Amino acid sequence: MGSHGIKDRVAIVGMGCTRFTEHWDKGVDELLLASTGEAFASAGIDKEQIDAYWLGTAQSGMSGLTLSKPLRLKDKPVTRVENYCATGSEALRQAAYAVASGAYDVTMAVGVEKVKDSGYQGLNAFPIPNDGTQRTLTAAAMFSMVAPAYARRYGVDPGEMRTVLARIASKNHANGARNPRAQFRKEMSVEKLCSMPAVAGGLSVFDCAGVADGSAAAVVVRAEDAHRYTDKPLFIKALSFVVGDGSGLMDPAYDYTTFPEVAASARDAYAQAGVTSPAEELAMAEVHDCFTPTELVLLEDLGLAERGTAWKRILDGAFDLDGELPVNPDGGLKSFGHPVGASGLRMMFEAWLQLRGEAPDDRRISTYGSRSLALTHNLGGYPGEMVSFVSILGTD
């Protein structure tokens, strides 16, 4: 892809994250103050020591004023960014490149979304004028087409596919039940999940990520300066962002069993980081499980399972907290919740906790201490029309 990468040029030295849930008693301002305050404290700095800010939000604010007003920032650049559900990752990417370029010494990336008591459920996308040929299906309907397509291509019985998807949800709910910051903190059995009625295609409500409010933040500095702020920084090994051309929606050959943008961003990120065997080198992965079949396909697109085998590996427990490669140890979008502007940074917050040994014992990944790299994956859009972000973070 012609990417020179960013390996070991910048580091994350402070992070903060609110609980992702229904914050009836908090607005955008309070959520931003909570996440940034925690990030400032963990880096041992204050707001005046940040040279520039990047704020990611899909629809909770239209400019940098969304952040500068509650933080009472004076004479600081604040850039508001948006890139579908990968908005939080976009904020981090731009904050990191600003430091790597030498433009700034210390930056902050912040993500926030507030939707739960706004008079509607979920994101109320503003109406962009079009020629009338845009898709009219919901996100759940679009991603529901992945499951039967995968089953047909790889010869998986429909009943067994239902069990595979329930196994993904059950895993993530088990992890979220152990996470005080998660939206849903109740374990769900495979049997109970399989009995849920369908709401979109073959998907039930429990195949879908929760709609939540929340915020997360990260402080970014040059790698050589990292130990001035913390004795356990996370060094950025790779940042890759790929935007598709939307042709999958019109291509009769597109079969919904792969997301090409994800596969491309993964290849680029691994090349930047020097990762040749991700399933063996990564300690954990946070992937964008907006729907259960999404996680199934992502495991293969990210090279964590061979094509056509992820469903078997899921049933074998390979991606459980105590498995060979823990995936979504914080509960993922499925259990942690999905405030669009914050999710990408929430994923990095989990890598921050796990790789630094700060995750609680009952949620600690099996690979802690033996591997030192984490992957975060954040996507936006729909099958055939997608943006994809992949980061690789490490402690060494």
Side-chain angles (χ1 to χ4, degrees), residues 150 154 299-301 303-311 313 319:
Y150 186 98
Y154 297 114
L299 293 170
E300 299 182 3
D301 281 340
L304 308 181
E306 295 293 329
R307 291 288 178 192
T309 69
W311 67 278
R313 305 294 310 286
F319 307 110

Side-chain angles (χ1 to χ4, degrees), residues 152-371:
R152 283 195 301 271
R153 179 165 183 175
Y154 297 114
V156 185
D157 177 80
E160 191 154 38
M161 177 58 69
R162 178 63 256 167
T163 301
V164 170
L165 299 184
R167 184 69 174 77
I168 292 171
S170 180
K171 167 183 70 72
N172 292 346
H173 275 282
N175 294 344
R178 292 160 175 77
N179 193 338
R181 299 179 196 248
Q183 182 179 25
F184 302 120
R185 302 197 57 210
K186 181 179 179 181
E187 293 196 37
M188 299 288 289
S189 70
V190 171
E191 293 73 22
K192 187 171 184 178
L193 290 164
C194 283
S195 68
M196 296 289 180
V199 296
L203 303 186
S204 77
V205 167
F206 282 88
D207 286 297
C208 310
V211 177
D213 305 329
S215 181
V219 178
V220 180
V221 303
R222 287 188 297 267
E224 59 264 32
D225 296 335
H227 285 94
R228 293 168 49 191
Y229 302 89
T230 177
D231 59 355
K232 295 186 289 185
L234 282 193
F235 297 99
I236 294 177
K237 307 293 183 178
L239 298 173
S240 181
F241 207 108
V242 168
V243 179
D245 62 3
S247 61
L249 292 181
M250 300 174 286
D251 184 359
Y254 181 61
D255 70 353
Y256 287 81
T257 66
T258 181
F259 308 138
E261 300 90 343
V262 175
S265 58
R267 287 193 300 269
D268 181 40
Y270 294 146
Q272 290 182 40
V275 170
T276 57
S277 181
E280 297 176 355
E281 295 176 57
L282 297 173
M284 58 166 283
E286 282 287 320
V287 307
H288 194 100
D289 60 317
C290 49
F291 302 93
T292 51
T294 316
E295 181 168 325
L296 171 65
V297 169
L298 292 177
L299 293 170
E300 299 182 3
D301 281 340
L302 294 169
L304 308 181
E306 295 293 329
R307 291 288 178 192
T309 69
W311 67 278
K312 298 177 183 177
R313 305 294 310 286
I314 289 165
L315 294 176
D316 291 342
F319 307 110
D320 291 359
L321 202 59
D322 60 355
E324 299 168 28
L325 176 60
V327 172
N328 291 336
D330 64 355
L333 277 71
K334 178 71 215 55
S335 183
F336 205 106
H338 182 34
V340 169
S343 285
L345 283 160
R346 180 272 299 166
M347 295 174 178
M348 294 184 179
F349 181 75
E350 180 64 10
W352 171 265
L353 293 179
Q354 293 284 359
L355 294 187
R356 287 160 48 99
E358 295 176 356
D361 290 343
D362 65 347
R363 206 168 52 76
R364 181 164 292 176
I365 54 177
S366 61
T367 51
Y368 173 70
S370 61
R371 304 178 195 172

Side-chain angles (χ1 to χ4, degrees), residues 128-135 250:
I128 302 171
N130 63 77
D131 62 2
T133 61
Q134 294 279 18
R135 59 161 189 87
M250 300 174 286

